[in-house]
Amino acid sequence: MLTLLKSWVRPDAFHTVLSERGPRWYNACLRITRDADLAADAVQEALLKAWDRRHEFRGDAALDSWIHRIALNAAIDATRRRKTRAEDELDEDGHEAAPASGPESDYSLQALTQDLSAAMQRLSSMERQVFVLKHIEGWRLDEIAESTQTSVAGVKHALFRALKKLRVDLQVWSNES
Amino acid sequence: MISDEDLMLYHYRELGADERARIGAALASQPELAQRLHKLVARLDAVSTTAEVPVPLEVQARWQAALAGAVRGEQRTAPARARFTNTRWIAAAAGIAMVALAVTFVAMQPKTQLADNDARQPGARQAQPAESAAAGTAYENGLKFHLASTERQIAALGDATPEERQRLIETIIGQNRLYALAAERAGEPQLARVLRAFTPILDDLAHGRGETTAANVAQLSFELRVMQARLAASAASTNTL
């Protein structure tokens, strides 16, 4: 078993998983940071941290998943360190309503994509992070609370706010009143 | 009345056992409630599905260089982005070697219907620089591992379907364009030209038109060896800095 674990943390294993999964880590971090430089830095930080701590890798998960999680934590930390002024200015209820007009019959994919993107952009930094970590990454609420340095209740509250905003924003697209 | 929030917590498996059992029973007995949860999840899935953004070439090179530096135990506190100026050749070399590996692999496939000599000689000639790139000390460790990984992926295509093979080659073509662009920006138009010259050949191979490309492969493989020699010399000089 020890031999197996050692084989997992050899340099070529890191380089291989970087080549194959680096884009996935990058995009995951980008969803957290919404900043290409921060996302790239988060992945690099995660790589180096994982290499330094490779003796801690237990092998009960894929190396990819392990580094992925470290990268997300690095992205969360980076976002905390460098919040954008616009995000800071948004209070909890500072979200603008979705367009009031009804759905067009020829609603284009491009318009849909823009609406979806706009919906995400109207989330505060905390709401977006919690939603991404919960809905996309599948983290537990207590894991999110630990990483974002807040309480489980706070995470749950942010998640509910995010869900409410996203539901409202997507009314136009979903053809529902 | 079960709220959307409770439905989502049920979906996320974040409820206690009792509450989970209660909502589970309600979902089983109330189709409209199940439909509501389904729509809610589908809507949130839609908003969270975004197109994947390609990783910029310089960022990939930076990651590989940083990891290679860590593996070597080198000091890592220097600004990482500044290292790319010394690694532009590494990125370009990776592009060349990847193309060479791909051409080698595909040219040796029976599918190309080349005559034995025409099919094997270019491949055999091109394998040499790739091998030397993997084994030589002039290149960064990151490049070596990256090439080894790529080589494994290509070698694994022996059992691939034509569709899978075509996808791989198209991927390599895409990466090759990026490396050519990087070479051009690095002030290496000759290297960029060689990289770009491989693109139509790869495209022919991807679409089963390999029989028309043997002569071009031979010519380009010669230019490839020249470029590899230059790369080795350049890398050796930068390593001494």
Side-chain angles (χ1 to χ4, degrees):
Chain A
M1 183 66 181
L2 188 60
T3 304
L4 178 65
L5 290 182
K6 282 181 178 176
S7 70
W8 266 110
V9 295
R10 286 187 320 210
D12 55 345
F14 272 76
H15 280 288
T16 298
V17 76
L18 171 59
S19 295
E20 295 173 353
R21 308 303 283 176
R24 180 169 169 266
W25 304 334
Y26 176 75
N27 277 276
C29 290
L30 201 52
R31 280 190 284 268
I32 293 290
T33 63
R34 290 177 57 201
D35 182 305
D37 287 339
L38 286 184
D41 288 347
V43 170
Q44 179 167 325
E45 181 182 334
L47 272 173
L48 299 180
K49 195 173 285 184
W51 176 254
D52 281 346
R53 299 179 180 177
R54 60 192 183 279
H55 59 281
E56 298 176 12
F57 178 59
R58 297 193 304 267
D60 54 358
L63 183 61
D64 160 39
S65 304
W66 187 56
I67 300 176
H68 186 112
R69 181 169 283 261
I70 296 173
L72 283 174
N73 275 312
I76 292 167
D77 289 343
T79 306
R80 187 185 302 122
R81 288 193 299 264
R82 207 181 85 175
K83 280 186 175 179
T84 64
R85 190 175 63 184
E87 285 174 338
D88 289 341
E89 288 174 351
L90 268 181
D91 63 22
E92 293 182 356
D93 298 314
H95 126 90
E96 297 176 6
S101 59
E104 299 288 338
S105 58
D106 58 347
Y107 204 66
S108 70
L109 181 62
Q110 183 181 6
L112 168 62
T113 303
Q114 288 172 347
D115 271 6
L116 296 178
S117 176
M120 286 292 281
Q121 286 176 7
R122 278 194 282 269
L123 300 183
S124 72
S125 175
M126 179 66 175
E127 291 161 358
R128 187 184 64 256
Q129 287 183 38
V130 169
F131 175 73
V132 167
L133 293 172
K134 182 71 238 183
H135 195 80
I136 300 177
E137 301 294 340
W139 286 22
R140 296 194 314 269
L141 294 177
D142 59 325
E143 293 174 323
I144 300 172
E146 183 180 354
S147 288
T148 56
Q149 297 181 4
T150 186
S151 64
V152 172
V155 169
K156 199 181 285 187
H157 192 50
L159 178 64
F160 288 163
R161 286 200 310 271
L163 296 179
K164 182 180 178 184
K165 288 182 180 181
L166 292 174
R167 288 206 309 271
V168 172
D169 280 344
L170 292 174
Q171 288 293 322
V172 173
W173 167 65
S174 63
N175 272 343
E176 291 178 8
S177 59
Chain B
M1 178 63 182
I2 298 175
S3 67
D4 283 354
E5 284 74 17
D6 284 342
L7 281 178
M8 288 310 298
L9 289 179
Y10 173 87
H11 173 73
Y12 291 144
R13 298 180 179 276
E14 292 283 0
L15 293 173
D18 291 347
E19 190 68 357
R20 179 164 182 78
R22 182 180 76 84
I23 293 180
L27 286 168
S29 62
Q30 301 174 38
E32 66 278 9
L33 185 64
Q35 180 69 8
R36 201 173 111 211
L37 174 58
H38 175 76
K39 282 186 176 180
L40 193 55
V41 173
R43 199 176 301 176
L44 294 170
D45 285 344
V47 76
S48 59
T49 303
T50 54
E52 292 282 299
V53 177
V55 183
L57 177 63
E58 66 271 20
V59 171
Q60 295 182 49
R62 175 157 67 92
W63 292 343
Q64 292 285 357
L67 181 56
V71 170
R72 285 195 306 266
E74 290 182 355
Q75 201 257 352
R76 306 190 296 261
T77 54
R81 288 181 191 129
R83 299 191 61 173
F84 180 63
T85 54
N86 290 331
T87 59
R88 67 187 194 278
W89 275 108
I90 294 172
I96 286 180
M98 287 171 68
V99 169
L101 286 167
V103 172
T104 300
F105 169 78
V106 179
M108 293 175 70
Q109 297 303 302
K111 184 172 176 296
T112 61
Q113 299 176 358
L114 297 174
D116 280 353
N117 286 344
D118 287 343
R120 289 173 185 164
Q121 285 179 357
R125 283 196 299 267
Q126 290 168 62
Q128 188 176 355
E131 287 166 2
S132 65
T137 57
Y139 294 126
E140 295 278 353
N141 284 338
L143 173 60
K144 184 174 68 175
F145 289 120
H146 178 61
L147 291 178
S149 170
T150 305
E151 193 167 14
R152 278 197 299 274
Q153 288 178 331
I154 293 175
L157 277 186
D159 298 326
T161 64
E163 290 76 20
E164 291 169 337
R165 189 175 305 160
Q166 182 173 337
R167 274 201 301 274
L168 172 85
I169 294 175
E170 286 172 351
T171 299
I172 294 172
I173 289 174
Q175 291 171 326
N176 197 40
R177 287 196 184 100
L178 291 175
Y179 287 124
L181 186 61
E184 200 163 61
R185 287 178 178 173
E188 299 292 343
Q190 188 184 356
L191 175 60
R193 182 185 62 78
V194 172
L195 285 169
R196 288 202 172 95
F198 270 103
T199 298
I201 294 173
L202 286 166
D203 195 49
D204 283 348
L205 294 171
H207 295 89
R209 301 190 296 266
E211 67 276 9
T212 65
T213 63
N216 288 335
V217 168
Q219 173 60 31
L220 287 171
S221 66
F222 169 76
E223 295 190 42
L224 180 66
R225 289 200 303 278
V226 174
M227 298 306 296
Q228 287 281 359
R230 285 187 52 193
L231 289 174
S234 175
S237 65
T238 55
N239 282 346
T240 60
L241 293 177

